[in-house]
Amino acid sequence: IDGLDSRALFNILTFSGGVHPWLEDGVVDSGKHNRDDAREFVDRLGAMGGTNLYGVLQQAFEDPDVDTIFVLSDGEPSTGDVIDPLEIRVHVKRWNAERDIVINAIALGGSFQILEWLAEDSGGTHVRFD
């Protein structure tokens, strides 16, 4: 949040069994007030169960203002409409064929091939923290 460009628009979507946006109405500017609110939202988060990677990506792609996605995950897809990493990869490639959204992926506590694929396929960056 602190690393956002001052001209960036952003939102935060959490994903466990479902997908829960910080803001229901899309993205907002990255001014001080919004950054402070976003940090408070993140500080209240805790471990919530499964990993609905497909659902969160699907929702992110539905926003026409999105041009970059940062995915932070501590697990393989385990819940939602699609949990097969190969199938998720196919869907995201199809959604992104005309959008050219860059996906940057951050893996926490393991190596998750799907996150590497998402970054590779979109020209993004993948990092891993153990």
Side-chain angles (χ1 to χ4, degrees):
I1 295 169
D2 292 331
L4 288 169
D5 184 278
S6 62
R7 297 165 293 166
L9 301 175
F10 77 108
N11 196 356
I12 300 168
L13 307 175
T14 63
F15 55 106
S16 54
V19 178
H20 309 283
W22 164 52
L23 302 170
E24 294 291 335
D25 296 327
V27 296
V28 293
D29 69 79
S30 58
K32 181 180 177 350
H33 174 75
N34 290 331
R35 287 180 194 226
D36 290 345
D37 285 353
R39 276 192 293 282
E40 285 180 32
F41 174 78
V42 170
D43 287 344
R44 289 191 306 266
L45 295 175
M48 295 181 273
T51 302
N52 189 354
L53 182 62
Y54 180 82
V56 76
L57 290 169
Q58 184 178 40
Q59 188 165 332
F61 269 89
E62 288 172 0
D63 188 326
D65 294 322
V66 168
D67 62 8
T68 306
I69 297 171
F70 287 84
V71 177
L72 175 76
S73 184
D74 65 352
E76 292 284 348
S78 61
T79 189
D81 292 340
V82 179
I83 60 171
D84 180 317
L86 290 171
E87 191 174 344
I88 293 171
R89 185 181 193 186
V90 168
H91 283 266
V92 172
K93 278 184 170 183
R94 189 180 72 240
W95 299 334
N96 211 15
E98 309 241 342
R99 297 282 305 270
D100 293 324
I101 294 173
V102 173
I103 302 172
N104 297 296
I106 303 135
L108 297 176
S111 177
F112 313 113
Q113 185 72 49
I114 182 63
L115 296 182
E116 293 179 38
W117 290 336
L118 292 172
E120 176 185 310
D121 294 345
S122 68
T125 301
H126 172 264
V127 294
R128 184 177 133 189
F129 295 98
D130 291 322

